[in-house]
Amino acid sequence: MLVKTFGSAVYGIQAITITIEVNIAAGTKYFIVGLPDIAVKESYFRIESALKNCGYRMPRQQVVVNMAPADIKKEGSAYDLTIATGVLAASGQIEAEDLDKYLIMGELSLDGGLQPIKGALPIAIQARKEGYKGFILPKQNAREAAIVDNLEVYGVENIKQVADFFNGDTTLVPEVVNTRDEFFNSLTAYDSDFSEVRGQENIKRALEIAAAGGHNVILIGPPGAGKTMLARRLPSILPPLSLHESLETTKIHSVAGKLSAADALVTTRPFRSPHHTISDVALVGGGSNPQPGEISLAHNGVLFLDELPEFKRSALEVMRQPLEERRVTISRAKFTVDYPSSFMLVASMNPCPCGYYNHPEKDCICPPGTVQKYLSKISGPLLDRIDLHVEVTPVNFSELSSDRLAEKSELIRDRVIKAREVQMQRFGDRPDLHANAQMSPQMVRDICKITTAGQTLLKKAMEKLGLSARAYDRILKVARTIADLAGSEEILLEHLAEAIHFRSLDREGWAG
């Protein structure tokens, strides 16, 4: 008897429906074809044990399983439940009448229980698109799949529930998630706030500008000055995620298997802070079975690289292209996948190995030439892609012990949102642009026009600092953001001067 069940394969953040054909005929062997990997081939042993432990039997006949289309590689253990349901139906142990109405995915344990799968959200979106009535998957993944409306999502705990459902012996209750309630309830639920930071007004100002224009930032200062603390609070002043951004971010985290059973949507902007020992592949994504890297997990949020010079140079260099294109393309011999990676880069570093170069009180003990060598670990092209270079100085005792309340993140966020609204109106005809940092060179020339006095100031700054053409564009973008925060239609001289001020690493004092 021939039976068809349906599963799904995830490539990038898109899903492709896979048809599982199970045929039982005379013979004794089990064959699985259709370009399966080792994990899929091993499914026989998991399926046999799971069926036996749940009171069913594995047919002692020739079982042929075909996974179509056969030119797409099938990877992982998520097809266990799909194949097992097909085997049960082909051997007459369950009714096969309604199988074509459901997409079925899940990894089986030996006792018949189900383990969570990756990519439940993109699979559910594709199932609705192709007109399936429902999606049967492990209970742990039910909430993330249930945010897709017009699709019945059934979270099950074991294969017996699936068999009883198709036999009509039990009814499954669909998982229901109110997407809008889920989205709006925790939109600005951050654990930390800018009001907890004493002093550092210059750094807060720089981060406000960065948030308003989506600019990349590097913080340079001695140990204990508050670089990491300030960076961790940056998401709390960014505009809240839109529903579209939330769904896109959730898809990436779903594919990477980063959502817990309680999560349905990623509602706050991601903050990713990888350790400096991270490999190139872990940072940008890839592997033999491509997975999103840290830059994609930070999509629509913040990627924080603490102690930037300690990262491997190769890992930092592979990040240059995604920083410009806001997506990363991973190519293999037979396929190519795209992952979105539109993130704000925030980096921090000590000014030298001992940490006290340019310190107002402590002396630097590094030998001559060491500072320049330390700074040269970060390449010029990467520094060019960072708009704001900010010096962080230690907070003195009087500021630390002050009872004066600092400004809350909520108030800063309101100013940032207003500046972003101005930018949204400016880029109204370009839905792919959301912030000043994303402007092309041609748009910079059209939008960031400056006065003759401004041209003179910028010319002097470029000659003195030896800035590249890319750095010139960056200064104009930052100046445009400062003007947006000030509610000014024109880029004034003071806006330009402040933008030039935030290029610390280009100044002579940092030349070593």
Side-chain angles (χ1 to χ4, degrees), residues 191-414:
D191 296 331
S192 47
D193 195 277
F194 264 66
S195 61
E196 299 156 358
V197 182
R198 299 272 187 250
Q200 302 293 26
E201 299 307 323
N202 181 45
I203 323 305
K204 289 178 185 175
R205 169 65 178 169
L207 292 180
E208 182 180 336
I209 294 166
H215 302 288
N216 301 323
V217 193
I218 185 166
L219 306 173
I220 315 114
K227 302 184 294 291
T228 305
M229 180 179 69
L230 283 154
R232 289 193 180 279
R233 282 157 176 75
L234 180 58
S236 69
I237 64 167
L238 287 169
L241 285 169
S242 67
L243 189 53
H244 172 73
E245 287 176 325
S246 179
L247 282 166
E248 195 176 35
T249 308
T250 307
K251 274 170 84 172
I252 297 167
H253 285 248
S254 172
V255 168
K258 300 291 183 187
L259 292 175
S260 69
D263 290 332
L265 271 176
V266 175
T267 55
T268 55
R269 294 196 178 269
F271 180 88
R272 304 293 300 181
S273 178
H275 193 260
H276 63 255
T277 54
I278 191 170
S279 68
D280 307 8
V281 169
L283 187 63
V284 298
S288 55
N289 175 19
Q291 287 288 300
E294 288 291 333
I295 64 171
S296 294
L297 292 169
H299 180 60
N300 290 324
V302 176
L303 178 70
F304 177 50
L305 301 182
D306 203 0
E307 302 302 338
L308 190 66
E310 304 303 329
F311 282 79
K312 283 191 301 182
R313 182 149 188 149
S314 61
L316 295 178
E317 296 309 301
V318 293
M319 204 169 59
R320 277 160 47 182
Q321 192 177 350
L323 271 170
E324 287 290 312
E325 296 184 359
R326 300 191 177 272
R327 64 185 174 85
V328 59
T329 303
I330 296 158
S331 298
R332 294 291 175 266
K334 291 187 178 178
F335 62 90
T336 299
V337 295
D338 272 2
Y339 291 116
S341 58
S342 179
F343 60 92
M344 272 182 68
L345 174 66
V346 181
S348 76
M349 60 179 283
N350 291 334
C352 66
C354 80
Y356 296 109
Y357 179 70
N358 272 3
H359 193 282
E361 294 165 11
K362 296 186 180 179
D363 294 327
C364 173
I365 58 169
C366 297
T370 309
V371 176
Q372 182 59 34
K373 189 178 175 185
Y374 187 71
L375 292 177
S376 68
K377 287 185 178 182
I378 307 159
S379 70
L382 182 65
L383 271 181
D384 270 353
R385 286 167 169 81
I386 298 175
D387 306 351
L388 298 160
H389 305 167
V390 188
E391 285 184 68
V392 183
T393 51
V395 182
N396 59 43
F397 180 78
S398 61
E399 284 180 320
L400 276 175
S401 57
S402 170
D403 292 332
R404 186 171 62 87
L405 289 174
E407 197 172 26
K408 287 188 173 182
S409 289
E410 189 180 352
L411 297 173
I412 303 172
R413 186 168 62 240
D414 287 343

Side-chain angles (χ1 to χ4, degrees), residues 46-325:
R46 292 190 294 272
I47 290 167
E48 184 181 39
S49 178
L51 293 182
K52 206 174 280 184
N53 286 320
C54 289
Y56 302 101
R57 59 182 172 79
M58 190 73 175
R60 295 296 168 218
Q61 294 161 278
Q62 186 190 78
V63 179
V64 180
V65 178
N66 178 40
M67 308 179 81
D71 61 333
I72 295 174
K73 192 167 178 63
K74 322 302 182 303
E75 297 174 312
S77 53
Y79 300 103
D80 290 359
L81 186 60
T82 327
I83 298 169
T85 307
V87 169
L88 286 173
S91 59
Q93 297 177 74
I94 65 170
E95 294 292 331
E97 192 179 336
D98 292 332
L99 282 180
D100 61 344
K101 296 176 183 174
Y102 296 90
L103 207 71
I104 304 166
M105 292 292 284
E107 179 190 332
L108 281 171
S109 297
L110 298 185
D111 62 356
L114 289 173
Q115 299 294 330
I117 61 169
K118 291 180 179 179
L121 179 56
I123 293 171
I125 290 169
Q126 187 66 19
R128 180 185 64 181
K129 193 175 174 183
E130 295 191 7
Y132 285 95
K133 181 184 177 184
F135 181 19
I136 297 170
L137 76 169
K139 188 85 174 170
Q140 298 96 312
N141 298 112
R143 280 182 60 77
E144 64 178 280
I147 65 172
V148 178
D149 55 6
N150 300 323
L151 181 75
E152 293 175 5
V153 174
Y154 299 108
V156 291
E157 294 176 352
N158 55 60
I159 193 170
K160 190 166 188 338
Q161 286 181 311
V162 180
D164 289 345
F165 173 68
F166 284 113
N167 280 332
D169 297 335
T170 186
T171 54
L172 294 175
V173 180
E175 188 80 26
V176 177
V177 171
N178 187 316
T179 309
R180 296 201 169 272
D181 283 357
E182 192 80 24
F183 176 65
F184 288 112
N185 281 350
S186 52
L187 207 51
T188 54
Y190 293 99
D191 296 331
S192 47
D193 195 277
F194 264 66
S195 61
E196 299 156 358
V197 182
R198 299 272 187 250
Q200 302 293 26
E201 299 307 323
N202 181 45
I203 323 305
K204 289 178 185 175
R205 169 65 178 169
L207 292 180
E208 182 180 336
I209 294 166
H215 302 288
N216 301 323
V217 193
I218 185 166
L219 306 173
I220 315 114
K227 302 184 294 291
T228 305
M229 180 179 69
L230 283 154
R232 289 193 180 279
R233 282 157 176 75
L234 180 58
S236 69
I237 64 167
L238 287 169
L241 285 169
S242 67
L243 189 53
H244 172 73
E245 287 176 325
S246 179
L247 282 166
E248 195 176 35
T249 308
T250 307
K251 274 170 84 172
I252 297 167
H253 285 248
S254 172
V255 168
K258 300 291 183 187
L259 292 175
S260 69
D263 290 332
L265 271 176
V266 175
T267 55
T268 55
R269 294 196 178 269
F271 180 88
R272 304 293 300 181
S273 178
H275 193 260
H276 63 255
T277 54
I278 191 170
S279 68
D280 307 8
V281 169
L283 187 63
V284 298
S288 55
N289 175 19
Q291 287 288 300
E294 288 291 333
I295 64 171
S296 294
L297 292 169
H299 180 60
N300 290 324
V302 176
L303 178 70
F304 177 50
L305 301 182
D306 203 0
E307 302 302 338
L308 190 66
E310 304 303 329
F311 282 79
K312 283 191 301 182
R313 182 149 188 149
S314 61
L316 295 178
E317 296 309 301
V318 293
M319 204 169 59
R320 277 160 47 182
Q321 192 177 350
L323 271 170
E324 287 290 312
E325 296 184 359

